[in-house]
């Protein structure tokens, strides 16, 4: 089984094409083993060249609100008064650690997203 590293975009595309031909390979077969190795190589290449980034904290909150049909009122117990929620959503006030913990615990928003530093003016504060 000749396997080469995936170093270039051309290697990447060729490896993806080969993976596609092996998708129905059975586990424990030589083709299945080749598929496992190629997928591992592609995943490593993608981690290095196409890293996934967490969304901006406010965008993460808005996404969860849309996803779960939440309103500003639903955020009040975690963030504080309605005007404070609006300030957070308008990026006029930073999230505090207490807000981040509550949003993560109550609405299952990934803490990594809420803690992410944004290029905007406000950053989470303690």
């Amino acid at each position: 089984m000749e396997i080469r590293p995936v170093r270039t975009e051309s290697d990447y595309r060729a490896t993806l094409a080969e993976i596609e031909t092996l998708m129905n390979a059975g586990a424990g077969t030589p083709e299945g083993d080749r598929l496992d190795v190629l997928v591992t190589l592609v995943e490593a290449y993608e981690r290095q060249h196409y890293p996934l980034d967490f969304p901006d904290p406010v965008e993460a909150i808005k996404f969860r609100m849309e996803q779960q049909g939440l309103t500003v009122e639903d955020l009040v117990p975690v963030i504080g008064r309605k005007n404070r929620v609006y300030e957070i959503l308008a990026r006029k006030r930073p999230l505090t650690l207490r807000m981040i913990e509550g949003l993560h615990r109550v609405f299952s928003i990934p803490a990594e997203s809420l803690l992410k530093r944004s290029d905007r003016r406000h950053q989470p504060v303690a």
Side-chain angles (χ1 to χ4, degrees), residues 7-103:
R7 292 189 179 119
T8 66
E9 187 67 24
S10 177
D11 294 340
Y12 174 69
R13 285 192 304 268
T15 305
L16 286 177
E18 185 171 355
I19 285 172
E20 191 172 327
T21 67
L22 296 170
M23 287 306 288
N24 294 322
T29 66
E31 293 82 15
D33 292 345
R34 183 173 184 81
L35 175 63
D36 287 344
V37 171
L38 293 176
V39 166
T40 301
L41 290 171
V42 164
E43 286 174 345
Y45 182 86
E46 288 176 343
R47 263 193 310 279
Q48 184 177 5
H49 293 88
Y50 304 108
L52 294 178
D53 202 7
F54 289 104
D56 168 84
V58 172
E59 291 306 315
I61 294 167
K62 288 179 178 179
F63 176 75
R64 183 64 68 188
M65 289 175 74
E66 181 181 320
Q67 196 178 44
Q68 294 182 351
L70 302 171
T71 66
V72 168
E73 290 289 334
D74 296 317
L75 299 179
V76 167
V78 174
I79 292 179
R81 294 176 304 213
K82 240 172 136 171
N83 66 328
R84 178 144 310 145
V85 175
Y86 283 116
E87 289 173 342
I88 295 290
L89 295 177
R91 301 177 201 288
K92 292 181 180 179
R93 178 181 291 271
L95 289 168
T96 65
L97 287 178
R98 177 174 280 157
M99 291 175 192
I100 291 169
E101 289 169 350
L103 290 164

